[in-house]
Amino acid sequence: MKKIFAANWKLHKNPQETRQFFTEWKKQWNTSSQDEVVFFPPATNLEATAQALDGTSLRWGSQNCYSEVKGAFTGEISAQTVKDLGGQYVLIGHSERRSLFLEKDNLIAKKVALAQKLDLIPLLCIGETLGERESGRTLYILRSQLEEGLSQADSMKRLVIAYEPVWAIGTGKVANNDQVKEAHKEVNSLLQSLGFPGATPILYGGSVKAENAKELVSIPHVNGFLVGGASLEVPSFLQICRSNS
């Protein structure tokens, strides 16, 4: 089954480093692979990414966008500009956007709707904190984030979900197989109850590395990964992207 492997570079790499990465990547990536590879570089590297990936099957998007196409919104990213540059995706609702920049589900819902309106693919991130998991509220949190974050979404347009337990992002901790299996099964069920196709891809994110990718990708309803630190170097991300073979 086709998988999606997404790289979230966060605030790493400059345009020159971005071009160097893709020069090396294109030498080694098997272009006949049926899996989808998506890169989310920093906003300052979007044009360099667009140029480097032009004419390839590799996809890219922005790590964020605003809920309006244009206007007096200093420092924000226009989803229309992402589209005009040739991007296909927008990462929305990442835990760092929620915790550091205090984004709420009502704003996230507007971003999802705008991305779909522009025929971009929203990659909506959901996930619980350690305190929420330890208090037994994981499924409640996932349900709430999906219901509110998709309240304005079009179920007929493409959508990707990333389940990222916040306590496992960048910590070296990984949810065990049973935890991942339970969460992805629940997210799949919730999506269907909200009227979204059962085939909606659900990615796992949370300290995914080359060493654990093959085991994780075999879990039911894990349709790929959203990868942070391990996507910054060509060898480690290549190994992750080959975990489905």
Side-chain angles (χ1 to χ4, degrees), residues 208-226:
V208 176
K209 299 180 176 63
E211 295 77 16
N212 60 25
K214 200 162 190 70
E215 184 176 7
L216 287 167
V217 84
S218 66
I219 296 173
H221 302 300
V222 172
N223 306 119
F225 300 123
L226 178 58

Side-chain angles (χ1 to χ4, degrees), residues 44-78:
T44 47
N45 301 351
L46 292 179
E47 190 166 16
T49 299
Q51 293 169 349
L53 299 186
D54 185 42
T56 74
S57 62
L58 299 165
R59 296 190 164 200
W60 65 271
S62 63
Q63 296 174 14
N64 183 33
C65 72
Y66 192 56
S67 57
E68 300 287 343
V69 167
K70 61 182 179 180
F73 308 110
T74 301
E76 290 296 336
I77 299 170
S78 168

Side-chain angles (χ1 to χ4, degrees), residues 19-37:
R19 294 186 182 96
Q20 291 171 342
F21 178 98
F22 288 126
T23 296
E24 187 61 30
W25 180 273
K26 288 186 286 188
K27 291 177 183 177
Q28 299 188 53
W29 177 243
N30 179 5
T31 56
S32 64
S33 172
Q34 298 301 306
D35 294 323
E36 187 172 341
V37 181

Side-chain angles (χ1 to χ4, degrees), residues 89-153:
Y89 277 85
V90 178
L91 193 65
I92 298 174
H94 190 278
S95 63
E96 290 160 3
R97 298 300 310 178
R98 295 175 188 265
S99 63
L100 298 178
F101 302 99
L102 308 180
E103 291 193 3
K104 303 301 182 184
D105 285 314
N106 60 342
L107 175 61
I108 289 167
K110 292 178 182 178
K111 293 183 178 187
V112 170
L114 177 65
Q116 288 188 321
K117 182 179 179 181
L118 295 174
D119 290 324
L120 292 168
I121 303 167
L123 201 169
L124 174 63
C125 299
I126 60 173
E128 81 283 4
T129 64
L130 182 59
E132 289 164 344
R133 171 162 283 277
E134 289 180 339
S135 64
R137 300 178 70 234
T138 295
L139 300 185
Y140 168 80
I141 294 297
L142 298 183
R143 182 181 299 108
S144 175
Q145 290 177 344
L146 282 174
E147 287 178 348
E148 296 184 45
L150 297 177
S151 60
Q152 301 178 40

